[in-house]
Amino acid sequence: MNWQAISFDWNQIRAFLATAEEGSLSAAARALRATQPTIGRQVSALERDLGVTLFERSGRSLVMTSAGHDLLEHVQAMGDAASRISMVASGQSRDVAGHVSITASDLLAAGFLVPVLKKLRQDAPGIIVDVVASNRLENLTRRDADIAIRHVRPDQPDLIARQLRDARAVYYASADYVALYGRPKSEADLGRHIFVGPRDTTQMLAFMQDRGVTISPDQFKANSDSGVVMWEMMRAGLGIMVGPDRLWPHVDGVETLLSDAAPITFPVWIVTHRELRTSRRIRIVFDALVQALGGD
């Protein structure tokens, strides 16, 4: 460990993080229960110490620079770690109780959230988790849910969003389907195959087109707005499905196709409202999801 290199002032880091996530010096000051001039001095001192400009001042507005965005990713990890340290030090996790609601697509909820909730039960048994399995974007500002897992970045300024590692998708098919229709040897072969997918295939067709794969809406022979239903239709041999990798890795009769094709990636965002700053139960669940879904 190069201890001499660790010379930053945590108050400056905290002021920068709050300003970045709250959107202004005044909002950061309210969140940290400090004065706006104090926050401004701490951010300016951090810029001076690092030798970079983190925010461009435009009237009363602040615009984060590219250097600020680069720093933010690391500082968010520091902030999350600081919160976990505080909770561990005071034994808060097992003492915290109450409801926390999470919204995610039904496929993500069924395939990935259950193991997270099992571990959370051990770490914080007093927390009751309500899972809203929905493929529509729940409105966190209306408190439809406390935490959302999304594939698009939210544009509401009063939300806290963190991008996790990109997830990977693959082509799935059942052994029955492969026996009947054959196994595609390349993505170009997919133009001769049958798919299961969402009822509105517009985004899926555009996605495939971007990969140089031309398929038509008529090739989607079984469709549903439920990812879990799509999975079961694929298992029944009704068509090929594009879905998250490692969804249920030990299901008999399901194959992953075209493993040598270029990776299919998509972004993952975890989003919550500003109560993350004051609610211990939301912070505990938020941190557990970040750790499980690859926020490091």
Side-chain angles (χ1 to χ4, degrees):
M1 180 72 72
N2 185 359
W3 296 109
Q4 292 182 348
I6 306 175
S7 58
F8 60 82
D9 185 323
W10 169 247
N11 288 325
Q12 295 174 5
I13 295 290
R14 193 172 67 136
F16 164 70
L17 177 59
T19 302
E21 293 192 341
E22 299 293 332
S24 68
L25 293 172
S26 57
R30 289 193 296 271
L32 297 178
R33 298 180 182 178
T35 65
Q36 181 173 335
T38 297
I39 299 300
R41 285 194 299 270
Q42 290 172 336
V43 172
S44 296
L46 181 61
E47 290 179 318
R48 184 173 60 253
D49 291 346
L50 296 177
V52 296
T53 299
L54 301 174
F55 295 102
E56 296 285 357
R57 277 75 172 176
S58 177
R60 295 186 176 181
S61 300
L62 293 178
V63 179
M64 193 180 303
T65 64
S66 58
H69 283 289
D70 290 341
L71 180 63
L72 180 60
E73 178 181 355
H74 302 289
V75 169
Q76 285 177 325
M78 292 171 61
D80 292 341
S83 296
R84 288 193 293 270
I85 289 170
S86 296
M87 289 180 181
V88 170
S90 57
Q92 291 173 347
S93 294
R94 298 193 64 82
D95 296 334
V96 173
H99 284 262
V100 176
S101 56
I102 306 169
T103 180
S105 69
D106 60 346
L107 199 58
L108 182 65
F112 292 103
L113 287 190
V114 173
V116 181
L117 301 186
K118 185 175 182 180
K119 184 177 187 305
L120 191 62
R121 175 70 57 81
Q122 298 173 342
D123 297 340
I127 294 179
I128 301 171
V129 178
D130 301 320
V131 176
V132 183
S134 171
N135 294 327
R136 71 184 183 90
L137 297 181
E138 305 295 329
N139 193 327
L140 268 66
T141 59
R142 292 203 311 261
R143 304 306 295 271
D144 293 342
D146 296 311
I147 300 172
I149 302 171
R150 297 176 173 174
H151 301 310
V152 295
R153 182 173 188 169
D155 54 10
Q156 298 97 322
D158 56 342
L159 297 180
I160 295 174
R162 178 168 177 185
Q163 187 172 13
L164 307 180
R165 285 200 305 258
D166 283 351
R168 185 172 180 264
V170 296
Y171 298 103
Y172 289 107
S174 70
D176 289 342
Y177 175 90
V178 171
L180 186 61
Y181 295 98
R183 180 179 290 102
K185 294 181 172 58
S186 69
E187 287 187 303
D189 289 347
L190 294 175
R192 301 182 291 103
H193 281 267
I194 297 172
F195 290 83
V196 300
R199 288 196 302 162
D200 183 354
T201 60
T202 304
Q203 288 185 334
M204 178 63 73
L205 292 172
F207 161 76
M208 298 293 281
Q209 187 66 45
D210 289 343
R211 293 181 63 84
V213 179
T214 301
I215 58 176
S216 70
D218 293 339
Q219 289 177 248
F220 288 85
K221 300 294 188 181
N223 307 306
S224 174
D225 289 334
S226 166
V228 174
V229 172
M230 288 168 53
W231 174 266
E232 291 301 322
M233 292 192 298
M234 177 276 298
R235 288 186 63 199
L238 296 180
I240 296 172
M241 170 188 172
V242 179
D245 190 18
R246 297 179 293 109
L247 190 56
W248 286 291
H250 305 299
V251 176
D252 293 336
V254 173
E255 301 184 19
T256 299
L257 307 176
L258 302 175
S259 57
D260 294 334
I264 305 172
T265 60
F266 57 94
V268 179
W269 290 86
I270 182 168
V271 189
T272 187
H273 38 72
R274 293 186 179 180
E275 192 176 337
L276 180 69
R277 299 294 184 201
T278 57
S279 173
R280 294 173 180 170
R281 66 182 186 278
I282 294 177
R283 166 57 77 177
I284 291 171
V285 176
F286 186 92
D287 287 345
L289 291 170
V290 168
Q291 183 178 17
L293 297 175
D296 55 346

